[in-house]
Amino acid sequence: MGTSANSVGRWALLAALAITVVMIVYYALGGDGRLAFGMAVVSLATAGFVYLFYSRLNTIQRTGTMALVFMILVAVLLPFFFLASAKVSADRTQAQYNNQLNYAAGLYTTYCSQCHGLLGQGLAAPQLNNSLSYHPNGNPPLSQLTAVDINRIITAGIVNSADPSLKNYLMPQWGQAYGGPLNTDDVAALTALVVSGDPTLQTKESVPNNTNGFAFIPNYLTTSALQTAYQQQLTDLEHPPSASIDLTNQTAVTIDAITTATGGFQFYYIDPAGKQYSTITIKAGTKVTWVNQSSAIHSVTSGTYPTDAGLFPSDTQLTPSGATSQYSVTFTKSGKYPFFCLYHSNMFGEIDVA
Ligand code: HEC
Ligand SMILES: [Cu+2]
């Protein structure tokens, strides 16, 4: 056997070492570890074979053996290429998803936040960011919906069924097909945003990752007014209105329907010092009067949103002014009387009759 004849073997080993070094660098720069390790092992093993065969076999055997080695090499490498390309496309899907959520957060800040809150916590309209620990009315019914439902709601709105004309929308129609400003991509992005805020919906809709799109909203607080409102709403979330106040020494009590500092609506008993209470305790025989001090129509409905529990007669049209801007009920039996507004699911309170 020729001594310098195994130069092919030596070149093969050298090439394998070079590939190994490249793979180490690739891995060090954040490349896929399994791919780098696999490539290095395969090339070193192949070079080893080539070296052994070239030192033992004659020319004809070498040619056949090399063909075999080459085929094995390709067969072994193929899965690694598939692995690598699957990973690249998964990364791309994740990045696209995050971009979509980020885009939606911009739309949300512009079109939705004034009713649904800058944190998705719900103001005059229901909470949409379900991952918040704050659930004023229990879990919103959102997680029972699907992405298709949410898409339809955003596109076509929710009509006020209490208004017989059916022309009054509680939730506006946003889709261009309904005269709104948003195209189907916009609505799809907003749907993804709402889904991303709810862990149950995330699972149901098998989203690419569990990013909560509402976390992108601070990117879009482009005015100081928006920044202030965001901080204020955050504070309100962390410091919900005070607990119960004892009013058993009164015979008549007023509960105001007001526009809150954050632009939502709420029912409060307001004490002489200006402190707001959602729950009051009164004695039997006390007359409670709700007064609408805001600019929107409300209802005074017993129970919890959205079902009238019939605990006392309700008023479905507490108008902003005129005779129907007030509504009174005298409570004669002890018990707990929660109440809410049909039109603003976050608007609620409770009367405890001692
Ligand atoms: C003018 C106030 C207002 C604006 C602005 C608004 N909504 Fe609404 N939205 C509502 C109200 C009120 C409801 C609840 C209607 C009801 O009681 O059924 C609602 C309901 C929804 C629901 C259904 C919630 C549930 O729990 O069933 C979704 C989803 C929704 N809105 C998404 C959006 C999106 C996305 C935007 C921005 C493009 C937006 N809304 C803008 C008032 C608004
Ligand atoms: Cu209301």
Side-chain angles (χ1 to χ4, degrees):
M1 100 168 82
T3 40
S4 64
N6 202 6
S7 60
V8 173
R10 266 182 279 137
W11 276 115
L13 281 181
L14 207 64
L17 280 175
I19 291 174
T20 305
V21 170
V22 169
M23 283 301 119
I24 289 170
V25 172
Y26 165 72
Y27 178 62
L29 293 178
D32 181 19
R34 279 184 302 177
L35 180 71
F37 183 72
M39 288 283 281
V41 167
V42 168
S43 43
L44 285 171
T46 312
F49 275 121
V50 171
Y51 188 89
L52 281 180
F53 285 130
Y54 266 80
S55 55
R56 306 261 159 98
L57 305 173
N58 66 37
T59 315
I60 293 167
Q61 286 169 324
R62 278 176 194 166
T63 313
T65 311
M66 272 314 285
L68 195 65
V69 166
F70 186 71
M71 276 160 62
I72 293 170
L73 183 71
V74 170
V76 170
L77 279 183
L78 267 181
F80 284 105
F81 287 122
F82 283 125
L83 204 89
S85 85
K87 187 171 187 303
V88 167
S89 87
D91 286 351
R92 199 178 296 138
T93 309
Q94 302 238 353
Q96 270 169 0
Y97 179 63
N98 285 0
N99 283 344
Q100 187 189 34
L101 293 180
N102 196 346
Y103 173 69
L107 292 174
Y108 181 90
T109 309
T110 308
Y111 295 109
C112 323
S113 65
Q114 68 273 33
C115 293
H116 291 282
L118 281 165
L119 296 107
Q121 79 279 26
L123 292 173
Q127 179 174 359
L128 295 182
N129 181 358
N130 251 358
S131 68
L132 294 170
S133 56
Y134 170 82
H135 294 294
N137 260 351
N139 270 327
L142 212 55
S143 11
Q144 292 155 25
L145 303 177
T146 63
V148 173
D149 300 326
I150 293 167
N151 194 300
R152 190 191 58 238
I153 290 172
I154 299 171
T155 306
I158 299 174
V159 75
N160 181 354
S161 50
D163 178 342
S165 79
L166 295 186
K167 281 183 181 149
N168 176 2
Y169 280 82
L170 297 172
M171 156 75 175
Q173 305 189 286
W174 295 101
Q176 277 172 354
Y178 294 85
L182 303 180
N183 65 32
T184 49
D185 286 348
D186 296 339
V187 174
L190 284 163
T191 303
L193 175 79
V194 173
V195 168
S196 82
D198 185 316
T200 314
L201 282 174
Q202 281 184 358
T203 312
K204 206 195 283 182
E205 301 293 340
S206 351
V207 296
N209 62 44
N210 59 4
T211 309
N212 182 345
F214 288 94
F216 290 116
I217 286 175
N219 295 349
Y220 298 95
L221 304 175
T222 45
T223 63
S224 60
L226 274 174
Q227 282 156 18
T228 311
Y230 188 87
Q231 285 313 319
Q232 178 66 51
Q233 292 181 26
L234 197 61
T235 311
D236 287 356
L237 272 183
E238 288 158 0
H239 303 282
S242 333
S244 176
I245 180 170
D246 188 340
L247 299 173
T248 48
N249 57 351
Q250 319 243 346
T251 52
V253 172
T254 299
I255 293 176
D256 291 329
I258 61 155
T259 306
T260 64
T262 54
F265 301 107
Q266 196 51 271
F267 288 121
Y268 286 129
Y269 168 79
I270 303 174
D271 76 9
K275 210 164 173 218
Q276 300 166 332
Y277 295 88
S278 294
T279 302
I280 60 173
T281 304
I282 56 173
K283 62 171 186 275
T286 304
K287 178 180 174 187
V288 175
T289 303
W290 286 265
V291 180
N292 191 348
Q293 306 278 17
S294 79
S295 54
I297 294 185
H298 304 289
S299 81
V300 177
T301 310
S302 74
T304 49
Y305 185 87
T307 316
D308 188 335
L311 305 174
F312 57 81
S314 57
D315 175 18
T316 53
Q317 301 283 314
L318 193 69
T319 57
S321 57
T324 51
S325 66
Q326 301 202 357
Y327 179 64
S328 301
V329 173
T330 302
F331 289 86
T332 52
K333 279 202 199 122
S334 66
K336 288 188 188 302
Y337 300 88
F339 62 91
F340 65 96
C341 169
L342 275 171
Y343 314 123
H344 305 110
S345 63
N346 272 356
M347 227 183 143
F348 61 96
E350 184 174 298
I351 295 160
D352 293 347
V353 183

